[in-house]
Amino acid sequence: AAASLVGVWLYNEYLRRVPIKDILLWTSIISAPLGLTQLLLISHYNRELGIPDGAFVLGDDVVFSILGQIAFLPSLVLAARLCPPGIEAVLFATLMSIFNGASTVGTEIGAALTKFLGVTETDFSNLALLTIICNVSSLLPLVFIGYLDGVGDESQEEMEAKQLGGNE
C-alpha cells in the first residue's frame, strides 16, 4: 500500500505535465525489461549478486506497485475527461469492472500457459520461458496506443487548464 502511495505521489509531483499517452507508453516499455529481472531469481543469479531471495522479491513488488499506480492514474484521468457530465459514477464502475475482468482473464490465460508449458510445483524447467512470454506479452497493448491520438496527447495539467478556461 505504501508503494502505491509513492506511485500516486510521483504521478502528482512529476507526471501531471506529461502527456497521458507518453506515460502509458513508457510505463509499459519500462515494465517489460524490469519483469525480466525475475529470470535472476529463477536462475538464483541474484544470490551471486548478493541479493537475498526475499529482498529481491520485495524490491520487485515495490517497483511494480509504483509503476502500476503511475500507469493506472492516467487511465482514470483520461476516463474522467471523456466522460459525459452526470454519469461519472457509472463510468468509474464500468472502468473498474473492465479492469477487474481483464485481470481475471489475464490470470486465467497465465494459468493455461503455465499448464501448457508444464510448469508445476516440482517442474520448473520451462519457468524461464513462461516468464519471458508473460513479460513480452505485456507489450501487446502498445499496438493500440495509436487509438489515444488526439485524446491522450494532453497531460492532466493541460486538461485541467482547458476546463478552467472554458468555465470562466
Side-chain angles (χ1 to χ4, degrees):
S4 292
L5 290 175
V6 170
V8 170
W9 177 79
L10 285 171
Y11 176 81
N12 281 326
E13 280 297 310
Y14 302 105
L15 299 172
R16 289 174 46 104
R17 293 170 284 288
V18 176
I20 290 172
K21 187 175 169 182
D22 291 347
I23 295 171
L24 296 174
L25 173 74
W26 286 106
T27 53
S28 294
I29 289 173
I30 291 168
S31 294
L34 281 178
L36 290 173
T37 61
Q38 288 297 309
L39 296 173
L40 298 174
L41 186 65
I42 293 166
S43 64
H44 300 294
Y45 188 70
N46 61 299
R47 294 175 186 168
E48 290 181 35
L49 296 172
I51 306 170
D53 292 347
F56 189 87
V57 170
L58 179 64
D60 187 62
D61 194 41
V62 167
V63 169
F64 279 107
S65 291
I66 292 170
L67 278 175
Q69 284 300 319
I70 290 172
F72 188 56
L73 285 171
S75 302
L76 293 177
V77 170
L78 188 58
R81 177 177 182 237
L82 298 174
C83 181
I87 63 164
E88 293 88 352
V90 172
L91 179 71
F92 183 76
T94 303
L95 188 61
M96 291 299 101
S97 295
I98 291 169
F99 181 74
N100 290 333
S103 177
T104 300
V105 169
T107 299
E108 293 303 316
I109 290 172
L113 191 55
T114 301
K115 184 174 181 173
F116 176 76
L117 291 175
V119 176
T120 66
E121 66 272 1
T122 57
D123 183 5
F124 300 118
S125 57
N126 285 328
L127 185 58
L129 177 60
L130 177 64
T131 302
I132 291 167
I133 291 170
C134 289
N135 281 287
V136 170
S137 70
S138 71
L139 296 173
L140 289 175
L142 294 181
V143 172
F144 302 103
I145 202 147
Y147 288 111
L148 294 177
D149 287 345
V151 292
D153 294 329
E154 294 180 277
S155 68
Q156 178 180 347
E157 198 168 81
E158 291 169 331
M159 289 180 203
E160 289 170 354
K162 276 186 180 178
Q163 247 180 347
L164 290 174
N167 291 338
E168 293 176 358

